[in-house]
Each structure stands twice: as structure tokens, then as C-alpha cells.
Amino acid sequence: MMVRRYSRMALCVVALVAGVSMAGAPVQAETHKGASTQVVSKGKQVSLEYTLKLDDKNVLETNVGREPMTYTHGAQEIVPGLEKALEGLAVGDKKHVTVKPADGYGEVDPKAFQEVKKSQVPEKAWKVGAELEAKGPDGQSMLLRVTEVKADSVVLDFNHPLAGKTLYFDVKVLEIRAAAPPSK
């Protein structure tokens, strides 16, 4: 599934500080008594178990029962809304987090649609919904979608696939440790 390519990106892209809900959305936290006194804070390496859903409440992706997702808190490796909501949690804590588009992958940007000649796109992608992988100016992989096919051109959508979407995370903090020193 093409969304799998964004498995870590669903948590790890975009300019990803208190444990508050986003846009007034309810937040539920469950703390395990006797858990480590170490809490999620800037510079800590955090391992999570998570499930991500969209408005339709279907699971988009999950790592429950698989390898934990690990990130460095405060390093903008996950979406900002999720990072803010995790601040202050301890090992064993569970939380439901609602992340509005502005604190996730942003709103859909109409300027991110670009019309290009068909000759610049593989023929097999000359259909609405086709997905293409391209390299951005910084060399990072990005997923493009064909949104319209015209006589001599196609319209590509450069927005992140989750742009404009509210994200619903169920998370559990599995481990918190000091971040590894940067390699020289």
C-alpha cells in the first residue's frame, strides 16, 4: 500500500509544548502508577506504540504488536500537534490525541497543484489517482498524485497525502531515554 511509504512520515514530517489537546479537542490520558518518573521532554528519545485513524475512524496505520516508533522529542521528527500532546507523559501513559490539519500536515495548498506536459509523466500514470514518486529539491522522496488528465497535460498534486486531514492518534509511551549524542 502506498501509504506505507509514509508510515514513519505520518508521524515524522513537517515542522513536527504542553500536554494539551489541539483546537480544544478532548484529550484522555491514562497514567500507570509506579511507572518511571522520567517524562517526555525536549531531547529525550521516546518509543511509542500508536494507531492512526482519520475522520472515517478506519485505521490508517498502526504499529501495535510490532516494532515501536522511536523519535527524539523536540527535534521536529513528528507532526507538531502530536509532539505537543506527548510533552510530560511518562512510560506506560496512554493518550488519545486529535491533531487538526494546521498542526499536522497543513491545509491543502491550492498552489501545490501543477500542470505538466504528458511527456514529463510516464504513460502508465496518465490516469486520475495514479501515484508517482519524485525527489524534492532537498533530495527527499515525495509522493505526487495525478488529479486531472487533459489532452496534452496532467495536473499533479504535490500536497502531502494527509494535508487537510484531521489525525486521530491513540498512543502509548513505551520507553523514554536520553538521546544518543550526535555522531561526529
Side-chain angles (χ1 to χ4, degrees):
M1 182 174 194
M2 198 50 87
V3 174
R4 287 285 180 221
R5 178 166 289 135
Y6 283 97
S7 181
R8 295 249 182 210
M9 293 178 87
L11 293 170
C12 306
V13 202
V14 183
L16 249 171
V17 150
V20 297
S21 69
M22 303 312 303
V27 173
Q28 302 146 9
E30 177 184 319
T31 305
H32 288 77
K33 303 294 181 223
S36 166
T37 57
Q38 196 170 41
V39 297
V40 175
S41 58
K42 188 173 183 174
K44 300 286 184 177
Q45 203 158 57
V46 181
S47 293
L48 297 174
E49 182 175 85
Y50 73 94
T51 298
L52 170 61
K53 298 177 185 177
L54 299 178
D55 284 328
D56 63 8
K57 303 302 181 210
N58 289 319
V59 174
L60 180 63
E61 62 184 51
T62 184
N63 71 344
V64 175
R66 293 183 262 173
E67 182 180 338
M69 194 279 298
T70 301
Y71 76 100
T72 302
H73 197 76
Q76 300 179 335
E77 295 174 356
I78 62 176
V79 293
L82 181 59
E83 188 167 67
K84 289 175 190 175
L86 295 173
E87 183 80 20
L89 295 182
V91 171
D93 285 354
K94 295 179 182 180
K95 192 169 192 177
H96 175 76
V97 181
T98 300
V99 178
K100 296 294 183 186
D103 294 312
Y105 293 97
E107 298 294 342
V108 173
D109 180 1
K111 294 177 185 172
F113 291 84
Q114 183 177 350
E115 189 170 340
V116 299
K117 292 181 181 183
K118 279 185 171 177
S119 62
Q120 295 179 289
V121 176
E123 189 173 344
K124 66 181 180 180
W126 294 356
K127 59 185 177 215
V128 173
E131 295 179 331
L132 301 163
E133 188 173 349
K135 298 280 183 198
D138 59 357
Q140 184 176 13
S141 244
M142 58 191 332
L143 187 64
L144 315 173
R145 287 165 313 289
V146 175
T147 59
E148 188 177 351
V149 178
K150 299 181 178 183
D152 296 322
S153 62
V154 295
V155 177
L156 299 175
D157 179 1
F158 285 78
N159 283 292
H160 188 281
L162 296 176
K165 308 238 188 255
T166 299
L167 310 173
Y168 302 92
F169 290 96
D170 288 308
V171 297
K172 180 179 179 182
V173 179
L174 301 176
E175 184 178 18
I176 302 169
R177 61 186 178 277
S183 57
K184 295 182 181 186

